[in-house]
Amino acid sequence: MKRIFDNFTSNPKNDITAGITVSLAMIPEVVAFAFVAQISPIVALFGAFVIGIISALFGGRPGLISGAAGAVAVIFVNMIQVGHAKGLLFDQPVENMGYFYLLAAVVLMGIIQVFAGLFKLGKFVRLIPHPVMMGFVNGLAIVIFLAQLGMFKENKKDAFDQNMRNTESQEMVYSVSNNEVRDIVSNTVLFVIEGNSIINKATNKEAFLVSDGQVFDIHTKKVVFNASENGFYSVSDSGVVKSWMKGKTLYTMIALVLLTMLMVWGLPKLTTKIPAALTAILIVTLISVFGGVESINVGEFIRDGGGAGLNGIAEISSKLNVLELWGNLPFNLDTLKFIAPYAFLAASVGLIETLMTMNLVDEMTETRGSGNKECVAQGAGNIVSGIFGGTGGCGMIGQTVININAGGRGRLSGVVMAVTLLTFILFADEFIEQVPIAALVGVMFMMVIETFAWSSFRIIKKIPRLDAFVLIIVSAVTVFFDLAIAVFVGVIISALSFAWSSAKKIRARKKMKPDGTKVYEIWGPLFFGSIQSFNSKFDVNGDPENVEIDFIEAKVADHSALEAIFVLLEKYEAAGKNLVLKHLSTECKDLMRKASPKFDKVIEESVDDPRYHVLSGVFDTKI
């Protein structure tokens, strides 16, 4: 138990106020990404609570905030859509089958993350270069900023005053000519178009309504077809149609955002005894509620998104019935094949974002967390969340920065965030619904300003050009593609750059001994990248009868280097000349002797021999 409460809190006041602030800032982002993933907001919020409290208690980085992050949610969008379609093809069709596939994928994602921690893969985050880290931070700050701009849009309404859906045409279902809707196979007239109404010819009653190129079922009020001049087409739903705010609504939104930002910036200059972000949210909420200011609030945001809303205890209680929840999922190999690619990608993205966020917190607090422990905690959180009906998540850089800036340093801040979030869902939804979205957007904008590495503009011309290129490319890939891809691209470019520059550092100093022996003193790393340069240093045909290669200032790094030395030995033997190898490490000499007994005759032992390891595979050279 002692390990759980290590670093629990050193300043309860700061941790509590920071946790409450973060929980408020988390709600719109979690709900927004729930809409992107086409799942109920309650699923995302409940997942944020479970993942948040487990990672806060058992994670390797006190102060790091975890929840249902957008980076993970986006991965599951296609899986959920395909899963819905698969469910309708079952012998006993199941609606919303994509949701049940999501739960299974989240559990598998968690299992992968737990194994990553147990096998200590978290340590590989140390291999991420600083330019990649800066590019990640800048790119993610831009992504969060762009996500907040979406809050300045409002939903368009359809003919039934519902949120208009963005539907894309698929296959033609009916043909249309002369205001008659015909079956495309038999050419039988089924419906007649009269203005915006579509009349069933058999019953002479209105069956559908046409509006803005969409065909609505008048009973369900849902879009069933897209209409064109020549036919009706089946549709795929890609979300709600949005448009930019205009007029008074826009001006009010901007004014409240600027007021929030001003208070978050200015309050710490007056006093540090009250949390700036939380105070700003409360003041702007009071102005909106009691000042009669009309502004979109959290409740309207949730309802306009088309989600289930904050239904509280009833819906969460139903999610805790595990047997009923998992009864619709087919446990077979086909299910595993379907969810495995999404689960693996989500696990990778989640761990990368979490570990990168952990590195950022390490730098901000000048302390060090445990990456492997954090991997296990994240995995455990996702497993529990998936089992009980929540979505997946990971460390959230935006909310983490808000927490750190608000003074949250201990595990208590993450626990308070999760508990406050659950309290809002269960008991205080009516109060939290009154918070203006503008206040939360203002807090997020200030977080973006704090997160972005502005120093990168100052140093961009002072650092090596390749590092500057890596910083820019990682930022761009994070914005336009994906976080995981951006980090992999940055690490690969940095690794190739390092290998190329190291390959050019191999040097050979040549000198002659009084007895006529030629000595090659090798300088620099000898590895796969420098082999060609290494081989070019020797003149086998022009060298005297006795040759020494001294590796005192070199390091034989891998199997390719061992192979190059062996090939060089063969060349000198074929030329009838004697070769001596000096100052090789013990491991290097052992590998050479195992490969061929010839090395026993050419390796010279010395008390000055270096000690290092060789990254080699099976040295399979045969003589």
Side-chain angles (χ1 to χ4, degrees), residues 24-42:
L24 289 170
M26 182 176 286
I27 289 174
E29 184 170 349
V30 171
V31 171
F33 285 116
F35 296 150
V36 170
Q38 298 183 16
I39 58 177
S40 166
I42 200 71

Side-chain angles (χ1 to χ4, degrees), residues 135-148:
F136 155 79
V137 169
N138 289 350
L140 212 53
I142 295 171
V143 169
I144 295 172
F145 172 77
L146 295 175
Q148 302 315 304

Side-chain angles (χ1 to χ4, degrees), residues 76-282:
F76 291 127
V77 173
N78 183 66
M79 185 197 73
I80 292 171
Q81 292 175 343
V82 176
H84 288 333
K86 287 171 68 72
L88 298 176
L89 299 177
F90 290 169
D91 294 335
Q92 295 182 345
V94 178
E95 292 187 0
N96 299 321
M97 190 62 209
Y99 168 65
F100 301 107
Y101 281 121
L102 170 66
L103 302 186
V106 170
V107 172
L108 181 57
M109 165 190 172
I111 293 172
I112 294 171
Q113 291 177 328
V114 168
F115 276 105
L118 294 177
F119 285 102
K120 301 188 183 302
L121 300 183
K123 63 186 178 183
F124 288 107
V125 73
R126 301 174 195 168
L127 298 179
I128 298 176
H130 189 66
V132 176
M133 182 67 186
M134 292 187 73
F136 155 79
V137 169
N138 289 350
L140 212 53
I142 295 171
V143 169
I144 295 172
F145 172 77
L146 295 175
Q148 302 315 304
L149 293 183
M151 301 296 182
F152 289 84
K153 293 182 177 181
E154 54 188 355
N155 298 340
K156 291 186 68 174
K157 300 299 180 179
D158 60 23
F160 295 97
D161 200 34
Q162 305 173 129
N163 292 331
M164 181 180 287
R165 310 300 299 184
N166 184 15
T167 52
E168 299 177 0
S169 300
Q170 301 296 313
E171 298 177 352
M172 180 182 284
V173 179
Y174 301 115
S175 62
V176 176
S177 62
N178 299 323
N179 288 330
E180 294 179 332
V181 181
R182 299 173 180 269
D183 183 272
I184 58 175
V185 177
S186 64
N187 202 35
T188 303
V189 177
L190 302 177
F191 305 97
V192 177
I193 301 175
E194 296 181 1
N196 291 332
S197 298
I198 300 176
I199 309 300
N200 187 316
K201 189 174 182 182
T203 63
N204 201 33
K205 293 182 179 181
E206 185 181 22
F208 304 106
L209 176 71
V210 180
S211 175
D212 293 322
Q214 296 177 319
V215 180
F216 295 83
D217 185 308
I218 62 169
H219 301 293
T220 63
K221 299 180 180 179
K222 291 184 177 180
V223 179
V224 288
F225 308 112
N226 276 356
S228 71
E229 292 182 357
N230 62 339
F232 290 175
Y233 295 80
S234 61
V235 296
S236 63
D237 191 329
S238 56
V240 179
V241 178
K242 291 180 175 291
S243 61
W244 291 102
M245 294 177 177
K246 296 179 181 178
K248 183 180 178 181
T249 304
L250 176 62
Y251 302 142
T252 302
M253 181 79 170
I254 293 174
L256 293 179
V257 168
L258 293 176
L259 176 61
T260 304
M261 294 177 68
L262 179 63
M263 285 189 285
V264 173
W265 172 78
L267 277 176
K269 300 181 183 300
L270 300 176
T271 177
T272 57
K273 293 183 178 181
I274 56 176
L278 181 58
T279 303
I281 291 172
L282 291 175

